[in-house]
Amino acid sequence: MNVTRRLALGLLGTVFAVGCAGGPAPLQALDRPIELERFMGPWYVVAHIPIDLPFASEANAYEGVETYALLPNGEIDIVYEYRDGSFEAPLESLPQRGWVHDPTNRTEWRVQFLWPFRSAYLIAWVDDDYRRAIVGVPSRDYAWILSRDAVVEDAELDALSGRLENLGYDLAGLRRVPQRPASNAPASP
């Protein structure tokens, strides 16, 4: 079963579980507007609470990079590239399509891995320089700490993790994604 199909099945399971379970209010996207064009480009995934389903490969990702490109029709081309299990593994790619769901703040998107399934994708925090960001999902099952730099010092990652915890996430599943300083080399926004 290919990665796209596995992720779609996992997404369906998550949607079903969230719909049936009680709990805290869903995560909300950042309540101030972002400059969508500045958010575009490549971001290193320096830490994440990975998709934890048995058939998802994100839990073993190395050198994860998420790249966003705004298309002329307003859609967002998204490509997640990673190596599965080691720095020596072949580079894998997961293409996706995104749409801005909240045109006022542009922080709530819908992302599609496999037609016709879409998932909420919430930009929960971004710094003023668009160098660091936190993205999550309403259920708080998954999260991504993004950086324009492959290597983030421990103290800064601790501060970003604290932000994630303040958003209501349990950090027990937080995983630092192994990155090499020059890996995949995203350019600055």
Short mmCIF file of all heavy atoms in Angstrom, two decimals, residues 7-41:
data_model
loop_
_atom_site.label_atom_id
_atom_site.label_comp_id
_atom_site.label_asym_id
_atom_site.label_seq_id
_atom_site.Cartn_x
_atom_site.Cartn_y
_atom_site.Cartn_z
N LEU A 7 -1.75 7.25 4.39
CA LEU A 7 -2.06 8.50 5.11
C LEU A 7 -3.54 8.83 5.03
O LEU A 7 -4.13 9.30 6.01
CB LEU A 7 -1.21 9.64 4.57
CG LEU A 7 0.25 9.60 4.96
CD1 LEU A 7 1.03 10.66 4.20
CD2 LEU A 7 0.44 9.77 6.45
N ALA A 8 -4.15 8.58 3.88
CA ALA A 8 -5.59 8.85 3.75
C ALA A 8 -6.38 7.97 4.70
O ALA A 8 -7.32 8.43 5.36
CB ALA A 8 -6.03 8.63 2.32
N LEU A 9 -6.02 6.70 4.80
CA LEU A 9 -6.72 5.81 5.73
C LEU A 9 -6.51 6.26 7.17
O LEU A 9 -7.43 6.22 7.99
CB LEU A 9 -6.24 4.37 5.55
CG LEU A 9 -6.68 3.71 4.24
CD1 LEU A 9 -6.00 2.35 4.07
CD2 LEU A 9 -8.19 3.58 4.17
N GLY A 10 -5.30 6.70 7.48
CA GLY A 10 -5.03 7.22 8.83
C GLY A 10 -5.84 8.46 9.12
O GLY A 10 -6.37 8.64 10.22
N LEU A 11 -5.96 9.33 8.14
CA LEU A 11 -6.75 10.54 8.29
C LEU A 11 -8.21 10.19 8.57
O LEU A 11 -8.84 10.77 9.45
CB LEU A 11 -6.63 11.41 7.04
CG LEU A 11 -7.49 12.66 6.99
CD1 LEU A 11 -7.09 13.62 8.11
CD2 LEU A 11 -7.34 13.33 5.64
N LEU A 12 -8.74 9.22 7.84
CA LEU A 12 -10.13 8.80 8.09
C LEU A 12 -10.30 8.29 9.51
O LEU A 12 -11.28 8.60 10.17
CB LEU A 12 -10.53 7.71 7.09
CG LEU A 12 -10.85 8.18 5.69
CD1 LEU A 12 -11.11 6.97 4.79
CD2 LEU A 12 -12.04 9.10 5.69
N GLY A 13 -9.34 7.50 9.98
CA GLY A 13 -9.40 7.00 11.36
C GLY A 13 -9.36 8.12 12.36
O GLY A 13 -10.09 8.11 13.36
N THR A 14 -8.54 9.13 12.11
CA THR A 14 -8.44 10.27 13.02
C THR A 14 -9.74 11.06 13.04
O THR A 14 -10.23 11.43 14.10
CB THR A 14 -7.28 11.18 12.61
OG1 THR A 14 -6.07 10.42 12.67
CG2 THR A 14 -7.18 12.39 13.51
N VAL A 15 -10.30 11.31 11.86
CA VAL A 15 -11.56 12.05 11.79
C VAL A 15 -12.64 11.30 12.55
O VAL A 15 -13.40 11.88 13.32
CB VAL A 15 -11.97 12.28 10.31
CG1 VAL A 15 -13.40 12.77 10.21
CG2 VAL A 15 -11.02 13.25 9.65
N PHE A 16 -12.71 9.99 12.39
CA PHE A 16 -13.70 9.20 13.10
C PHE A 16 -13.47 9.25 14.61
O PHE A 16 -14.40 9.47 15.38
CB PHE A 16 -13.66 7.74 12.62
CG PHE A 16 -14.65 6.87 13.33
CD1 PHE A 16 -16.00 6.92 13.02
CD2 PHE A 16 -14.23 6.01 14.33
CE1 PHE A 16 -16.92 6.12 13.68
CE2 PHE A 16 -15.14 5.21 15.00
CZ PHE A 16 -16.49 5.27 14.67
N ALA A 17 -12.22 9.10 15.04
CA ALA A 17 -11.90 9.12 16.47
C ALA A 17 -12.22 10.47 17.09
O ALA A 17 -12.76 10.55 18.19
CB ALA A 17 -10.44 8.76 16.69
N VAL A 18 -11.88 11.55 16.39
CA VAL A 18 -12.15 12.88 16.92
C VAL A 18 -13.65 13.13 17.02
O VAL A 18 -14.14 13.70 17.99
CB VAL A 18 -11.47 13.97 16.04
CG1 VAL A 18 -11.95 15.35 16.41
CG2 VAL A 18 -9.96 13.87 16.18
N GLY A 19 -14.39 12.67 16.02
CA GLY A 19 -15.83 12.88 16.04
C GLY A 19 -16.52 12.11 17.15
O GLY A 19 -17.58 12.51 17.61
N CYS A 20 -15.94 11.01 17.59
CA CYS A 20 -16.59 10.17 18.60
C CYS A 20 -16.11 10.48 20.02
O CYS A 20 -16.72 10.03 20.97
CB CYS A 20 -16.29 8.70 18.30
SG CYS A 20 -17.02 8.15 16.75
N ALA A 21 -15.03 11.17 20.18
CA ALA A 21 -14.45 11.37 21.50
C ALA A 21 -14.78 12.75 22.04
O ALA A 21 -14.88 13.71 21.30
CB ALA A 21 -12.93 11.21 21.42
N GLY A 22 -14.93 12.82 23.36
CA GLY A 22 -15.07 14.12 24.00
C GLY A 22 -13.68 14.62 24.34
O GLY A 22 -12.68 13.98 24.05
N GLY A 23 -13.58 15.75 24.97
CA GLY A 23 -12.27 16.25 25.36
C GLY A 23 -12.20 17.75 25.24
O GLY A 23 -13.21 18.43 25.11
N PRO A 24 -10.97 18.27 25.27
CA PRO A 24 -10.80 19.72 25.22
C PRO A 24 -11.24 20.28 23.88
O PRO A 24 -11.37 19.56 22.89
CB PRO A 24 -9.29 19.90 25.44
CG PRO A 24 -8.68 18.61 25.02
CD PRO A 24 -9.70 17.55 25.32
N ALA A 25 -11.47 21.57 23.88
CA ALA A 25 -11.86 22.25 22.65
C ALA A 25 -10.77 22.05 21.60
O ALA A 25 -9.58 21.97 21.93
CB ALA A 25 -12.05 23.74 22.92
N PRO A 26 -11.15 21.97 20.33
CA PRO A 26 -10.16 21.78 19.27
C PRO A 26 -9.15 22.93 19.22
O PRO A 26 -9.46 24.07 19.58
CB PRO A 26 -11.00 21.77 17.99
CG PRO A 26 -12.39 21.48 18.43
CD PRO A 26 -12.51 22.02 19.82
N LEU A 27 -7.95 22.60 18.77
CA LEU A 27 -6.91 23.62 18.55
C LEU A 27 -7.43 24.65 17.57
O LEU A 27 -8.11 24.30 16.59
CB LEU A 27 -5.65 22.95 18.00
CG LEU A 27 -4.49 23.89 17.65
CD1 LEU A 27 -3.89 24.50 18.91
CD2 LEU A 27 -3.42 23.14 16.85
N GLN A 28 -7.13 25.88 17.80
CA GLN A 28 -7.50 26.97 16.91
C GLN A 28 -6.27 27.47 16.17
O GLN A 28 -5.17 27.47 16.72
CB GLN A 28 -8.14 28.12 17.69
CG GLN A 28 -9.41 27.74 18.42
CD GLN A 28 -10.52 27.32 17.48
OE1 GLN A 28 -10.86 28.04 16.55
NE2 GLN A 28 -11.07 26.14 17.71
N ALA A 29 -6.46 27.95 14.96
CA ALA A 29 -5.38 28.57 14.21
C ALA A 29 -5.04 29.91 14.83
O ALA A 29 -5.82 30.48 15.60
CB ALA A 29 -5.79 28.74 12.75
N LEU A 30 -3.89 30.41 14.50
CA LEU A 30 -3.44 31.73 14.93
C LEU A 30 -4.53 32.75 14.60
O LEU A 30 -5.10 32.73 13.51
CB LEU A 30 -2.14 32.07 14.19
CG LEU A 30 -1.39 33.32 14.58
CD1 LEU A 30 -0.88 33.23 16.02
CD2 LEU A 30 -0.20 33.52 13.64
N ASP A 31 -4.83 33.64 15.54
CA ASP A 31 -5.94 34.57 15.35
C ASP A 31 -5.53 35.92 14.78
O ASP A 31 -6.27 36.88 14.87
CB ASP A 31 -6.72 34.75 16.65
CG ASP A 31 -5.88 35.39 17.74
OD1 ASP A 31 -4.67 35.61 17.54
OD2 ASP A 31 -6.44 35.67 18.82
N ARG A 32 -4.36 35.98 14.21
CA ARG A 32 -3.94 37.21 13.52
C ARG A 32 -3.54 36.83 12.10
O ARG A 32 -3.09 35.71 11.86
CB ARG A 32 -2.80 37.90 14.24
CG ARG A 32 -1.51 37.13 14.27
CD ARG A 32 -0.35 37.97 14.85
NE ARG A 32 0.81 37.15 15.11
CZ ARG A 32 1.70 36.78 14.20
NH1 ARG A 32 1.56 37.16 12.95
NH2 ARG A 32 2.73 36.04 14.53
N PRO A 33 -3.69 37.73 11.15
CA PRO A 33 -3.36 37.40 9.77
C PRO A 33 -1.86 37.13 9.58
O PRO A 33 -1.01 37.71 10.26
CB PRO A 33 -3.76 38.65 8.99
CG PRO A 33 -4.65 39.42 9.88
CD PRO A 33 -4.26 39.07 11.29
N ILE A 34 -1.56 36.24 8.66
CA ILE A 34 -0.18 36.04 8.24
C ILE A 34 -0.05 36.53 6.80
O ILE A 34 -1.04 36.67 6.08
CB ILE A 34 0.27 34.57 8.32
CG1 ILE A 34 -0.53 33.69 7.35
CG2 ILE A 34 0.20 34.05 9.75
CD1 ILE A 34 0.12 32.35 7.08
N GLU A 35 1.19 36.81 6.42
CA GLU A 35 1.49 37.13 5.03
C GLU A 35 1.75 35.80 4.33
O GLU A 35 2.80 35.20 4.49
CB GLU A 35 2.70 38.04 4.95
CG GLU A 35 2.50 39.40 5.60
CD GLU A 35 3.77 40.22 5.63
OE1 GLU A 35 4.43 40.31 4.57
OE2 GLU A 35 4.10 40.74 6.70
N LEU A 36 0.77 35.36 3.58
CA LEU A 36 0.82 34.04 2.97
C LEU A 36 2.06 33.85 2.11
O LEU A 36 2.72 32.81 2.16
CB LEU A 36 -0.45 33.82 2.14
CG LEU A 36 -0.73 32.40 1.70
CD1 LEU A 36 -0.81 31.45 2.89
CD2 LEU A 36 -2.02 32.36 0.90
N GLU A 37 2.43 34.89 1.34
CA GLU A 37 3.59 34.77 0.47
C GLU A 37 4.87 34.55 1.28
O GLU A 37 5.77 33.84 0.83
CB GLU A 37 3.73 36.03 -0.41
CG GLU A 37 2.59 36.21 -1.40
CD GLU A 37 1.31 36.77 -0.77
OE1 GLU A 37 1.33 37.23 0.41
OE2 GLU A 37 0.26 36.73 -1.43
N ARG A 38 4.97 35.16 2.45
CA ARG A 38 6.16 34.98 3.29
C ARG A 38 6.21 33.58 3.89
O ARG A 38 7.29 33.09 4.23
CB ARG A 38 6.20 36.01 4.42
CG ARG A 38 6.57 37.40 3.93
CD ARG A 38 6.72 38.36 5.08
NE ARG A 38 7.93 38.07 5.84
CZ ARG A 38 8.19 38.57 7.04
NH1 ARG A 38 7.33 39.39 7.62
NH2 ARG A 38 9.30 38.27 7.67
N PHE A 39 5.06 32.94 4.06
CA PHE A 39 5.02 31.60 4.62
C PHE A 39 5.44 30.55 3.59
O PHE A 39 5.83 29.45 3.93
CB PHE A 39 3.63 31.29 5.18
CG PHE A 39 3.63 30.15 6.16
CD1 PHE A 39 3.97 30.37 7.48
CD2 PHE A 39 3.31 28.86 5.77
CE1 PHE A 39 3.99 29.31 8.40
CE2 PHE A 39 3.32 27.80 6.67
CZ PHE A 39 3.67 28.03 7.98
N MET A 40 5.35 30.90 2.32
CA MET A 40 5.69 29.95 1.26
C MET A 40 7.18 29.64 1.28
O MET A 40 7.98 30.35 1.88
CB MET A 40 5.31 30.53 -0.11
CG MET A 40 3.82 30.77 -0.31
SD MET A 40 2.79 29.27 -0.26
CE MET A 40 1.97 29.46 1.32
N GLY A 41 7.53 28.56 0.61
CA GLY A 41 8.91 28.13 0.53
C GLY A 41 9.17 26.93 1.40
O GLY A 41 8.26 26.36 2.00
#
